[in-house]
Amino acid sequence: MAAPKPTTSAPAKQQGKGKTSGGDKPAERVVAENRKARHTYEILDTLECGIALVGSEVKSLRSGKMSLDEAYGRVKNSEVWLIGCDIPEYSKANQLNHQPKRPRKLLLHRREIGRFASLGYEKGLTLVPLKAYFKNGRVKILLGIGRGRKVHDKRQKLKAQTARRDIEQALRGRRSG
């Protein structure tokens, strides 16, 4: 009998499919970002979590339609829910479409709910979705614990950003001239 021939490396190519080479972080495609949240809240900590969606919601997200502007997180019966998130109906889904502003369950481990989401019960802290993105084909939500900023805190932050921007522009102008 003849010895079996060694196989080629074709299956090895399929294993790495969908991921970047080496130790880089996986490819992420941002769908929606809540930029106003970083202005309104002082973000203390962040956590990446999954979200339970129906098919038409995922199709709508793939086309880049989502709004996190009025969304927030709530803990109910030891589960975390995303409330106020708007995913518009998918135009080609006719009868099997979803409700655009329905509450959606966030997928967290029990330990994460206990440690992270329970901070939302503390006075002045809230769960704020910062951005939604695709990571390895799955929809992820970056959830943050935020403390509301007062008006004078917002003004101080804007002043500091403006001063830093002016200094950087002055330094750039000096180097080129």
mmCIF file with all atom_site columns, all heavy atoms in Angstrom, residues 145-171:
data_model
loop_
_atom_site.group_PDB
_atom_site.id
_atom_site.type_symbol
_atom_site.label_atom_id
_atom_site.label_alt_id
_atom_site.label_comp_id
_atom_site.label_asym_id
_atom_site.label_entity_id
_atom_site.label_seq_id
_atom_site.pdbx_PDB_ins_code
_atom_site.Cartn_x
_atom_site.Cartn_y
_atom_site.Cartn_z
_atom_site.occupancy
_atom_site.B_iso_or_equiv
_atom_site.pdbx_formal_charge
_atom_site.auth_seq_id
_atom_site.auth_comp_id
_atom_site.auth_asym_id
_atom_site.auth_atom_id
_atom_site.pdbx_PDB_model_num
ATOM 1   N N   . ILE A 1 145 ? -20.182 53.612 32.212 1.00 0.00 ? 145 ILE A N   1
ATOM 2   C CA  . ILE A 1 145 ? -20.789 54.145 33.435 1.00 0.00 ? 145 ILE A CA  1
ATOM 3   C C   . ILE A 1 145 ? -20.479 55.634 33.437 1.00 0.00 ? 145 ILE A C   1
ATOM 4   O O   . ILE A 1 145 ? -19.310 56.024 33.381 1.00 0.00 ? 145 ILE A O   1
ATOM 5   C CB  . ILE A 1 145 ? -20.165 53.494 34.689 1.00 0.00 ? 145 ILE A CB  1
ATOM 6   C CG1 . ILE A 1 145 ? -20.564 52.042 34.796 1.00 0.00 ? 145 ILE A CG1 1
ATOM 7   C CG2 . ILE A 1 145 ? -20.560 54.245 35.945 1.00 0.00 ? 145 ILE A CG2 1
ATOM 8   C CD1 . ILE A 1 145 ? -21.931 51.817 35.343 1.00 0.00 ? 145 ILE A CD1 1
ATOM 9   N N   . GLY A 1 146 ? -21.515 56.452 33.464 1.00 0.00 ? 146 GLY A N   1
ATOM 10  C CA  . GLY A 1 146 ? -21.305 57.885 33.383 1.00 0.00 ? 146 GLY A CA  1
ATOM 11  C C   . GLY A 1 146 ? -21.896 58.638 34.553 1.00 0.00 ? 146 GLY A C   1
ATOM 12  O O   . GLY A 1 146 ? -22.932 58.270 35.088 1.00 0.00 ? 146 GLY A O   1
ATOM 13  N N   . ARG A 1 147 ? -21.200 59.689 34.939 1.00 0.00 ? 147 ARG A N   1
ATOM 14  C CA  . ARG A 1 147 ? -21.703 60.613 35.962 1.00 0.00 ? 147 ARG A CA  1
ATOM 15  C C   . ARG A 1 147 ? -22.024 61.908 35.235 1.00 0.00 ? 147 ARG A C   1
ATOM 16  O O   . ARG A 1 147 ? -21.186 62.443 34.519 1.00 0.00 ? 147 ARG A O   1
ATOM 17  C CB  . ARG A 1 147 ? -20.647 60.858 37.031 1.00 0.00 ? 147 ARG A CB  1
ATOM 18  C CG  . ARG A 1 147 ? -21.075 61.907 38.069 1.00 0.00 ? 147 ARG A CG  1
ATOM 19  C CD  . ARG A 1 147 ? -20.058 62.077 39.175 1.00 0.00 ? 147 ARG A CD  1
ATOM 20  N NE  . ARG A 1 147 ? -20.113 60.913 40.061 1.00 0.00 ? 147 ARG A NE  1
ATOM 21  C CZ  . ARG A 1 147 ? -19.059 60.145 40.377 1.00 0.00 ? 147 ARG A CZ  1
ATOM 22  N NH1 . ARG A 1 147 ? -17.874 60.427 39.885 1.00 0.00 ? 147 ARG A NH1 1
ATOM 23  N NH2 . ARG A 1 147 ? -19.198 59.127 41.186 1.00 0.00 ? 147 ARG A NH2 1
ATOM 24  N N   . GLY A 1 148 ? -23.235 62.393 35.409 1.00 0.00 ? 148 GLY A N   1
ATOM 25  C CA  . GLY A 1 148 ? -23.676 63.601 34.717 1.00 0.00 ? 148 GLY A CA  1
ATOM 26  C C   . GLY A 1 148 ? -22.817 64.796 35.055 1.00 0.00 ? 148 GLY A C   1
ATOM 27  O O   . GLY A 1 148 ? -22.479 65.019 36.210 1.00 0.00 ? 148 GLY A O   1
ATOM 28  N N   . ARG A 1 149 ? -22.467 65.562 34.026 1.00 0.00 ? 149 ARG A N   1
ATOM 29  C CA  . ARG A 1 149 ? -21.674 66.773 34.233 1.00 0.00 ? 149 ARG A CA  1
ATOM 30  C C   . ARG A 1 149 ? -22.589 67.957 34.469 1.00 0.00 ? 149 ARG A C   1
ATOM 31  O O   . ARG A 1 149 ? -23.646 68.072 33.882 1.00 0.00 ? 149 ARG A O   1
ATOM 32  C CB  . ARG A 1 149 ? -20.826 67.065 32.993 1.00 0.00 ? 149 ARG A CB  1
ATOM 33  C CG  . ARG A 1 149 ? -19.610 66.217 32.885 1.00 0.00 ? 149 ARG A CG  1
ATOM 34  C CD  . ARG A 1 149 ? -18.624 66.877 31.928 1.00 0.00 ? 149 ARG A CD  1
ATOM 35  N NE  . ARG A 1 149 ? -17.372 66.178 31.986 1.00 0.00 ? 149 ARG A NE  1
ATOM 36  C CZ  . ARG A 1 149 ? -16.835 65.521 30.974 1.00 0.00 ? 149 ARG A CZ  1
ATOM 37  N NH1 . ARG A 1 149 ? -17.434 65.486 29.827 1.00 0.00 ? 149 ARG A NH1 1
ATOM 38  N NH2 . ARG A 1 149 ? -15.686 64.898 31.124 1.00 0.00 ? 149 ARG A NH2 1
ATOM 39  N N   . LYS A 1 150 ? -22.151 68.851 35.305 1.00 0.00 ? 150 LYS A N   1
ATOM 40  C CA  . LYS A 1 150 ? -22.855 70.107 35.523 1.00 0.00 ? 150 LYS A CA  1
ATOM 41  C C   . LYS A 1 150 ? -22.485 71.062 34.386 1.00 0.00 ? 150 LYS A C   1
ATOM 42  O O   . LYS A 1 150 ? -21.507 70.856 33.668 1.00 0.00 ? 150 LYS A O   1
ATOM 43  C CB  . LYS A 1 150 ? -22.442 70.732 36.866 1.00 0.00 ? 150 LYS A CB  1
ATOM 44  C CG  . LYS A 1 150 ? -22.629 69.815 38.054 1.00 0.00 ? 150 LYS A CG  1
ATOM 45  C CD  . LYS A 1 150 ? -24.081 69.780 38.464 1.00 0.00 ? 150 LYS A CD  1
ATOM 46  C CE  . LYS A 1 150 ? -24.252 69.063 39.773 1.00 0.00 ? 150 LYS A CE  1
ATOM 47  N NZ  . LYS A 1 150 ? -24.858 67.778 39.680 1.00 0.00 ? 150 LYS A NZ  1
ATOM 48  N N   . VAL A 1 151 ? -23.239 72.134 34.238 1.00 0.00 ? 151 VAL A N   1
ATOM 49  C CA  . VAL A 1 151 ? -23.003 73.083 33.150 1.00 0.00 ? 151 VAL A CA  1
ATOM 50  C C   . VAL A 1 151 ? -21.612 73.693 33.255 1.00 0.00 ? 151 VAL A C   1
ATOM 51  O O   . VAL A 1 151 ? -20.895 73.819 32.254 1.00 0.00 ? 151 VAL A O   1
ATOM 52  C CB  . VAL A 1 151 ? -24.080 74.191 33.148 1.00 0.00 ? 151 VAL A CB  1
ATOM 53  C CG1 . VAL A 1 151 ? -23.775 75.243 32.103 1.00 0.00 ? 151 VAL A CG1 1
ATOM 54  C CG2 . VAL A 1 151 ? -25.449 73.599 32.897 1.00 0.00 ? 151 VAL A CG2 1
ATOM 55  N N   . HIS A 1 152 ? -21.181 74.049 34.481 1.00 0.00 ? 152 HIS A N   1
ATOM 56  C CA  . HIS A 1 152 ? -19.859 74.672 34.611 1.00 0.00 ? 152 HIS A CA  1
ATOM 57  C C   . HIS A 1 152 ? -18.745 73.666 34.299 1.00 0.00 ? 152 HIS A C   1
ATOM 58  O O   . HIS A 1 152 ? -17.687 74.043 33.806 1.00 0.00 ? 152 HIS A O   1
ATOM 59  C CB  . HIS A 1 152 ? -19.673 75.299 35.998 1.00 0.00 ? 152 HIS A CB  1
ATOM 60  C CG  . HIS A 1 152 ? -19.718 74.324 37.128 1.00 0.00 ? 152 HIS A CG  1
ATOM 61  N ND1 . HIS A 1 152 ? -20.901 73.921 37.715 1.00 0.00 ? 152 HIS A ND1 1
ATOM 62  C CD2 . HIS A 1 152 ? -18.732 73.651 37.777 1.00 0.00 ? 152 HIS A CD2 1
ATOM 63  C CE1 . HIS A 1 152 ? -20.630 73.058 38.687 1.00 0.00 ? 152 HIS A CE1 1
ATOM 64  N NE2 . HIS A 1 152 ? -19.332 72.878 38.741 1.00 0.00 ? 152 HIS A NE2 1
ATOM 65  N N   . ASP A 1 153 ? -18.963 72.364 34.579 1.00 0.00 ? 153 ASP A N   1
ATOM 66  C CA  . ASP A 1 153 ? -17.966 71.350 34.228 1.00 0.00 ? 153 ASP A CA  1
ATOM 67  C C   . ASP A 1 153 ? -17.823 71.246 32.717 1.00 0.00 ? 153 ASP A C   1
ATOM 68  O O   . ASP A 1 153 ? -16.719 71.091 32.183 1.00 0.00 ? 153 ASP A O   1
ATOM 69  C CB  . ASP A 1 153 ? -18.370 69.985 34.789 1.00 0.00 ? 153 ASP A CB  1
ATOM 70  C CG  . ASP A 1 153 ? -18.300 69.937 36.298 1.00 0.00 ? 153 ASP A CG  1
ATOM 71  O OD1 . ASP A 1 153 ? -17.560 70.752 36.879 1.00 0.00 ? 153 ASP A OD1 1
ATOM 72  O OD2 . ASP A 1 153 ? -18.986 69.075 36.894 1.00 0.00 ? 153 ASP A OD2 1
ATOM 73  N N   . LYS A 1 154 ? -18.952 71.323 31.994 1.00 0.00 ? 154 LYS A N   1
ATOM 74  C CA  . LYS A 1 154 ? -18.913 71.256 30.530 1.00 0.00 ? 154 LYS A CA  1
ATOM 75  C C   . LYS A 1 154 ? -18.136 72.439 29.969 1.00 0.00 ? 154 LYS A C   1
ATOM 76  O O   . LYS A 1 154 ? -17.335 72.287 29.041 1.00 0.00 ? 154 LYS A O   1
ATOM 77  C CB  . LYS A 1 154 ? -20.338 71.256 29.960 1.00 0.00 ? 154 LYS A CB  1
ATOM 78  C CG  . LYS A 1 154 ? -21.138 70.017 30.277 1.00 0.00 ? 154 LYS A CG  1
ATOM 79  C CD  . LYS A 1 154 ? -22.533 70.149 29.712 1.00 0.00 ? 154 LYS A CD  1
ATOM 80  C CE  . LYS A 1 154 ? -23.440 69.065 30.219 1.00 0.00 ? 154 LYS A CE  1
ATOM 81  N NZ  . LYS A 1 154 ? -24.814 69.215 29.750 1.00 0.00 ? 154 LYS A NZ  1
ATOM 82  N N   . ARG A 1 155 ? -18.375 73.617 30.566 1.00 0.00 ? 155 ARG A N   1
ATOM 83  C CA  . ARG A 1 155 ? -17.670 74.823 30.087 1.00 0.00 ? 155 ARG A CA  1
ATOM 84  C C   . ARG A 1 155 ? -16.172 74.703 30.320 1.00 0.00 ? 155 ARG A C   1
ATOM 85  O O   . ARG A 1 155 ? -15.369 75.067 29.456 1.00 0.00 ? 155 ARG A O   1
ATOM 86  C CB  . ARG A 1 155 ? -18.203 76.056 30.806 1.00 0.00 ? 155 ARG A CB  1
ATOM 87  C CG  . ARG A 1 155 ? -19.569 76.464 30.338 1.00 0.00 ? 155 ARG A CG  1
ATOM 88  C CD  . ARG A 1 155 ? -19.984 77.762 30.996 1.00 0.00 ? 155 ARG A CD  1
ATOM 89  N NE  . ARG A 1 155 ? -21.382 78.046 30.727 1.00 0.00 ? 155 ARG A NE  1
ATOM 90  C CZ  . ARG A 1 155 ? -22.215 78.565 31.599 1.00 0.00 ? 155 ARG A CZ  1
ATOM 91  N NH1 . ARG A 1 155 ? -21.810 78.864 32.816 1.00 0.00 ? 155 ARG A NH1 1
ATOM 92  N NH2 . ARG A 1 155 ? -23.463 78.805 31.272 1.00 0.00 ? 155 ARG A NH2 1
ATOM 93  N N   . GLN A 1 156 ? -15.777 74.202 31.499 1.00 0.00 ? 156 GLN A N   1
ATOM 94  C CA  . GLN A 1 156 ? -14.349 74.040 31.780 1.00 0.00 ? 156 GLN A CA  1
ATOM 95  C C   . GLN A 1 156 ? -13.711 73.049 30.811 1.00 0.00 ? 156 GLN A C   1
ATOM 96  O O   . GLN A 1 156 ? -12.587 73.258 30.350 1.00 0.00 ? 156 GLN A O   1
ATOM 97  C CB  . GLN A 1 156 ? -14.153 73.567 33.215 1.00 0.00 ? 156 GLN A CB  1
ATOM 98  C CG  . GLN A 1 156 ? -14.392 74.645 34.240 1.00 0.00 ? 156 GLN A CG  1
ATOM 99  C CD  . GLN A 1 156 ? -14.256 74.134 35.663 1.00 0.00 ? 156 GLN A CD  1
ATOM 100 O OE1 . GLN A 1 156 ? -14.252 72.931 35.900 1.00 0.00 ? 156 GLN A OE1 1
ATOM 101 N NE2 . GLN A 1 156 ? -14.143 75.056 36.614 1.00 0.00 ? 156 GLN A NE2 1
ATOM 102 N N   . LYS A 1 157 ? -14.425 71.967 30.508 1.00 0.00 ? 157 LYS A N   1
ATOM 103 C CA  . LYS A 1 157 ? -13.894 70.970 29.573 1.00 0.00 ? 157 LYS A CA  1
ATOM 104 C C   . LYS A 1 157 ? -13.699 71.587 28.189 1.00 0.00 ? 157 LYS A C   1
ATOM 105 O O   . LYS A 1 157 ? -12.670 71.380 27.543 1.00 0.00 ? 157 LYS A O   1
ATOM 106 C CB  . LYS A 1 157 ? -14.844 69.771 29.481 1.00 0.00 ? 157 LYS A CB  1
ATOM 107 C CG  . LYS A 1 157 ? -14.350 68.689 28.572 1.00 0.00 ? 157 LYS A CG  1
ATOM 108 C CD  . LYS A 1 157 ? -15.350 67.579 28.411 1.00 0.00 ? 157 LYS A CD  1
ATOM 109 C CE  . LYS A 1 157 ? -14.839 66.611 27.376 1.00 0.00 ? 157 LYS A CE  1
ATOM 110 N NZ  . LYS A 1 157 ? -15.904 65.952 26.666 1.00 0.00 ? 157 LYS A NZ  1
ATOM 111 N N   . LEU A 1 158 ? -14.681 72.356 27.730 1.00 0.00 ? 158 LEU A N   1
ATOM 112 C CA  . LEU A 1 158 ? -14.566 73.011 26.428 1.00 0.00 ? 158 LEU A CA  1
ATOM 113 C C   . LEU A 1 158 ? -13.406 74.010 26.397 1.00 0.00 ? 158 LEU A C   1
ATOM 114 O O   . LEU A 1 158 ? -12.678 74.107 25.413 1.00 0.00 ? 158 LEU A O   1
ATOM 115 C CB  . LEU A 1 158 ? -15.874 73.703 26.054 1.00 0.00 ? 158 LEU A CB  1
ATOM 116 C CG  . LEU A 1 158 ? -17.025 72.786 25.656 1.00 0.00 ? 158 LEU A CG  1
ATOM 117 C CD1 . LEU A 1 158 ? -18.298 73.593 25.454 1.00 0.00 ? 158 LEU A CD1 1
ATOM 118 C CD2 . LEU A 1 158 ? -16.680 72.004 24.411 1.00 0.00 ? 158 LEU A CD2 1
ATOM 119 N N   . LYS A 1 159 ? -13.226 74.767 27.485 1.00 0.00 ? 159 LYS A N   1
ATOM 120 C CA  . LYS A 1 159 ? -12.107 75.716 27.552 1.00 0.00 ? 159 LYS A CA  1
ATOM 121 C C   . LYS A 1 159 ? -10.769 74.998 27.463 1.00 0.00 ? 159 LYS A C   1
ATOM 122 O O   . LYS A 1 159 ? -9.854  75.427 26.763 1.00 0.00 ? 159 LYS A O   1
ATOM 123 C CB  . LYS A 1 159 ? -12.169 76.514 28.860 1.00 0.00 ? 159 LYS A CB  1
ATOM 124 C CG  . LYS A 1 159 ? -13.153 77.631 28.867 1.00 0.00 ? 159 LYS A CG  1
ATOM 125 C CD  . LYS A 1 159 ? -13.093 78.373 30.199 1.00 0.00 ? 159 LYS A CD  1
ATOM 126 C CE  . LYS A 1 159 ? -14.197 79.387 30.325 1.00 0.00 ? 159 LYS A CE  1
ATOM 127 N NZ  . LYS A 1 159 ? -14.216 80.028 31.649 1.00 0.00 ? 159 LYS A NZ  1
ATOM 128 N N   . ALA A 1 160 ? -10.635 73.887 28.200 1.00 0.00 ? 160 ALA A N   1
ATOM 129 C CA  . ALA A 1 160 ? -9.387  73.127 28.183 1.00 0.00 ? 160 ALA A CA  1
ATOM 130 C C   . ALA A 1 160 ? -9.119  72.554 26.798 1.00 0.00 ? 160 ALA A C   1
ATOM 131 O O   . ALA A 1 160 ? -7.975  72.591 26.312 1.00 0.00 ? 160 ALA A O   1
ATOM 132 C CB  . ALA A 1 160 ? -9.436  72.008 29.220 1.00 0.00 ? 160 ALA A CB  1
ATOM 133 N N   . GLN A 1 161 ? -10.150 72.040 26.128 1.00 0.00 ? 161 GLN A N   1
ATOM 134 C CA  . GLN A 1 161 ? -9.972  71.499 24.780 1.00 0.00 ? 161 GLN A CA  1
ATOM 135 C C   . GLN A 1 161 ? -9.558  72.585 23.804 1.00 0.00 ? 161 GLN A C   1
ATOM 136 O O   . GLN A 1 161 ? -8.676  72.386 22.968 1.00 0.00 ? 161 GLN A O   1
ATOM 137 C CB  . GLN A 1 161 ? -11.269 70.844 24.288 1.00 0.00 ? 161 GLN A CB  1
ATOM 138 C CG  . GLN A 1 161 ? -11.558 69.515 24.913 1.00 0.00 ? 161 GLN A CG  1
ATOM 139 C CD  . GLN A 1 161 ? -12.899 68.948 24.440 1.00 0.00 ? 161 GLN A CD  1
ATOM 140 O OE1 . GLN A 1 161 ? -13.747 69.665 23.931 1.00 0.00 ? 161 GLN A OE1 1
ATOM 141 N NE2 . GLN A 1 161 ? -13.073 67.659 24.633 1.00 0.00 ? 161 GLN A NE2 1
ATOM 142 N N   . THR A 1 162 ? -10.185 73.761 23.903 1.00 0.00 ? 162 THR A N   1
ATOM 143 C CA  . THR A 1 162 ? -9.853  74.873 23.011 1.00 0.00 ? 162 THR A CA  1
ATOM 144 C C   . THR A 1 162 ? -8.415  75.334 23.238 1.00 0.00 ? 162 THR A C   1
ATOM 145 O O   . THR A 1 162 ? -7.673  75.578 22.277 1.00 0.00 ? 162 THR A O   1
ATOM 146 C CB  . THR A 1 162 ? -10.823 76.047 23.241 1.00 0.00 ? 162 THR A CB  1
ATOM 147 O OG1 . THR A 1 162 ? -12.156 75.567 23.113 1.00 0.00 ? 162 THR A OG1 1
ATOM 148 C CG2 . THR A 1 162 ? -10.588 77.154 22.245 1.00 0.00 ? 162 THR A CG2 1
ATOM 149 N N   . ALA A 1 163 ? -8.008  75.446 24.498 1.00 0.00 ? 163 ALA A N   1
ATOM 150 C CA  . ALA A 1 163 ? -6.633  75.863 24.805 1.00 0.00 ? 163 ALA A CA  1
ATOM 151 C C   . ALA A 1 163 ? -5.625  74.848 24.261 1.00 0.00 ? 163 ALA A C   1
ATOM 152 O O   . ALA A 1 163 ? -4.614  75.231 23.662 1.00 0.00 ? 163 ALA A O   1
ATOM 153 C CB  . ALA A 1 163 ? -6.463  76.025 26.311 1.00 0.00 ? 163 ALA A CB  1
ATOM 154 N N   . ARG A 1 164 ? -5.915  73.569 24.451 1.00 0.00 ? 164 ARG A N   1
ATOM 155 C CA  . ARG A 1 164 ? -5.006  72.523 23.950 1.00 0.00 ? 164 ARG A CA  1
ATOM 156 C C   . ARG A 1 164 ? -4.912  72.567 22.421 1.00 0.00 ? 164 ARG A C   1
ATOM 157 O O   . ARG A 1 164 ? -3.827  72.462 21.848 1.00 0.00 ? 164 ARG A O   1
ATOM 158 C CB  . ARG A 1 164 ? -5.512  71.156 24.403 1.00 0.00 ? 164 ARG A CB  1
ATOM 159 C CG  . ARG A 1 164 ? -4.529  70.034 24.127 1.00 0.00 ? 164 ARG A CG  1
ATOM 160 C CD  . ARG A 1 164 ? -4.966  68.698 24.691 1.00 0.00 ? 164 ARG A CD  1
ATOM 161 N NE  . ARG A 1 164 ? -5.841  68.865 25.838 1.00 0.00 ? 164 ARG A NE  1
ATOM 162 C CZ  . ARG A 1 164 ? -7.024  68.257 25.987 1.00 0.00 ? 164 ARG A CZ  1
ATOM 163 N NH1 . ARG A 1 164 ? -7.462  67.450 25.105 1.00 0.00 ? 164 ARG A NH1 1
ATOM 164 N NH2 . ARG A 1 164 ? -7.768  68.443 27.048 1.00 0.00 ? 164 ARG A NH2 1
ATOM 165 N N   . ARG A 1 165 ? -6.051  72.781 21.758 1.00 0.00 ? 165 ARG A N   1
ATOM 166 C CA  . ARG A 1 165 ? -6.063  72.863 20.295 1.00 0.00 ? 165 ARG A CA  1
ATOM 167 C C   . ARG A 1 165 ? -5.267  74.062 19.814 1.00 0.00 ? 165 ARG A C   1
ATOM 168 O O   . ARG A 1 165 ? -4.485  73.969 18.851 1.00 0.00 ? 165 ARG A O   1
ATOM 169 C CB  . ARG A 1 165 ? -7.507  72.946 19.803 1.00 0.00 ? 165 ARG A CB  1
ATOM 170 C CG  . ARG A 1 165 ? -7.651  72.724 18.326 1.00 0.00 ? 165 ARG A CG  1
ATOM 171 C CD  . ARG A 1 165 ? -9.096  72.752 17.832 1.00 0.00 ? 165 ARG A CD  1
ATOM 172 N NE  . ARG A 1 165 ? -10.011 72.022 18.669 1.00 0.00 ? 165 ARG A NE  1
ATOM 173 C CZ  . ARG A 1 165 ? -11.049 72.559 19.310 1.00 0.00 ? 165 ARG A CZ  1
ATOM 174 N NH1 . ARG A 1 165 ? -11.275 73.862 19.247 1.00 0.00 ? 165 ARG A NH1 1
ATOM 175 N NH2 . ARG A 1 165 ? -11.861 71.821 20.034 1.00 0.00 ? 165 ARG A NH2 1
ATOM 176 N N   . ASP A 1 166 ? -5.407  75.221 20.481 1.00 0.00 ? 166 ASP A N   1
ATOM 177 C CA  . ASP A 1 166 ? -4.660  76.419 20.096 1.00 0.00 ? 166 ASP A CA  1
ATOM 178 C C   . ASP A 1 166 ? -3.156  76.226 20.259 1.00 0.00 ? 166 ASP A C   1
ATOM 179 O O   . ASP A 1 166 ? -2.363  76.646 19.409 1.00 0.00 ? 166 ASP A O   1
ATOM 180 C CB  . ASP A 1 166 ? -5.113  77.623 20.931 1.00 0.00 ? 166 ASP A CB  1
ATOM 181 C CG  . ASP A 1 166 ? -6.538  78.065 20.584 1.00 0.00 ? 166 ASP A CG  1
ATOM 182 O OD1 . ASP A 1 166 ? -7.042  77.658 19.502 1.00 0.00 ? 166 ASP A OD1 1
ATOM 183 O OD2 . ASP A 1 166 ? -7.132  78.792 21.395 1.00 0.00 ? 166 ASP A OD2 1
ATOM 184 N N   . ILE A 1 167 ? -2.754  75.579 21.349 1.00 0.00 ? 167 ILE A N   1
ATOM 185 C CA  . ILE A 1 167 ? -1.326  75.312 21.583 1.00 0.00 ? 167 ILE A CA  1
ATOM 186 C C   . ILE A 1 167 ? -0.777  74.398 20.492 1.00 0.00 ? 167 ILE A C   1
ATOM 187 O O   . ILE A 1 167 ? 0.302   74.651 19.950 1.00 0.00 ? 167 ILE A O   1
ATOM 188 C CB  . ILE A 1 167 ? -1.122  74.700 22.984 1.00 0.00 ? 167 ILE A CB  1
ATOM 189 C CG1 . ILE A 1 167 ? -1.404  75.751 24.058 1.00 0.00 ? 167 ILE A CG1 1
ATOM 190 C CG2 . ILE A 1 167 ? 0.292   74.150 23.142 1.00 0.00 ? 167 ILE A CG2 1
ATOM 191 C CD1 . ILE A 1 167 ? -1.466  75.187 25.467 1.00 0.00 ? 167 ILE A CD1 1
ATOM 192 N N   . GLU A 1 168 ? -1.522  73.336 20.154 1.00 0.00 ? 168 GLU A N   1
ATOM 193 C CA  . GLU A 1 168 ? -1.064  72.418 19.108 1.00 0.00 ? 168 GLU A CA  1
ATOM 194 C C   . GLU A 1 168 ? -0.942  73.125 17.767 1.00 0.00 ? 168 GLU A C   1
ATOM 195 O O   . GLU A 1 168 ? 0.019   72.902 17.025 1.00 0.00 ? 168 GLU A O   1
ATOM 196 C CB  . GLU A 1 168 ? -2.013  71.228 18.996 1.00 0.00 ? 168 GLU A CB  1
ATOM 197 C CG  . GLU A 1 168 ? -1.897  70.270 20.170 1.00 0.00 ? 168 GLU A CG  1
ATOM 198 C CD  . GLU A 1 168 ? -2.939  69.164 20.104 1.00 0.00 ? 168 GLU A CD  1
ATOM 199 O OE1 . GLU A 1 168 ? -3.723  69.101 19.121 1.00 0.00 ? 168 GLU A OE1 1
ATOM 200 O OE2 . GLU A 1 168 ? -2.958  68.346 21.039 1.00 0.00 ? 168 GLU A OE2 1
ATOM 201 N N   . GLN A 1 169 ? -1.897  74.001 17.432 1.00 0.00 ? 169 GLN A N   1
ATOM 202 C CA  . GLN A 1 169 ? -1.831  74.731 16.173 1.00 0.00 ? 169 GLN A CA  1
ATOM 203 C C   . GLN A 1 169 ? -0.639  75.674 16.155 1.00 0.00 ? 169 GLN A C   1
ATOM 204 O O   . GLN A 1 169 ? 0.034   75.825 15.141 1.00 0.00 ? 169 GLN A O   1
ATOM 205 C CB  . GLN A 1 169 ? -3.125  75.521 15.937 1.00 0.00 ? 169 GLN A CB  1
ATOM 206 C CG  . GLN A 1 169 ? -4.287  74.645 15.535 1.00 0.00 ? 169 GLN A CG  1
ATOM 207 C CD  . GLN A 1 169 ? -5.577  75.421 15.384 1.00 0.00 ? 169 GLN A CD  1
ATOM 208 O OE1 . GLN A 1 169 ? -5.654  76.605 15.742 1.00 0.00 ? 169 GLN A OE1 1
ATOM 209 N NE2 . GLN A 1 169 ? -6.597  74.762 14.871 1.00 0.00 ? 169 GLN A NE2 1
ATOM 210 N N   . ALA A 1 170 ? -0.365  76.327 17.279 1.00 0.00 ? 170 ALA A N   1
ATOM 211 C CA  . ALA A 1 170 ? 0.777   77.251 17.355 1.00 0.00 ? 170 ALA A CA  1
ATOM 212 C C   . ALA A 1 170 ? 2.094   76.483 17.182 1.00 0.00 ? 170 ALA A C   1
ATOM 213 O O   . ALA A 1 170 ? 2.993   76.943 16.480 1.00 0.00 ? 170 ALA A O   1
ATOM 214 C CB  . ALA A 1 170 ? 0.759   77.993 18.693 1.00 0.00 ? 170 ALA A CB  1
ATOM 215 N N   . LEU A 1 171 ? 2.194   75.308 17.811 1.00 0.00 ? 171 LEU A N   1
ATOM 216 C CA  . LEU A 1 171 ? 3.411   74.517 17.670 1.00 0.00 ? 171 LEU A CA  1
ATOM 217 C C   . LEU A 1 171 ? 3.582   74.023 16.239 1.00 0.00 ? 171 LEU A C   1
ATOM 218 O O   . LEU A 1 171 ? 4.689   73.991 15.714 1.00 0.00 ? 171 LEU A O   1
ATOM 219 C CB  . LEU A 1 171 ? 3.381   73.333 18.649 1.00 0.00 ? 171 LEU A CB  1
ATOM 220 C CG  . LEU A 1 171 ? 3.544   73.700 20.123 1.00 0.00 ? 171 LEU A CG  1
ATOM 221 C CD1 . LEU A 1 171 ? 3.371   72.473 21.001 1.00 0.00 ? 171 LEU A CD1 1
ATOM 222 C CD2 . LEU A 1 171 ? 4.903   74.341 20.363 1.00 0.00 ? 171 LEU A CD2 1
#
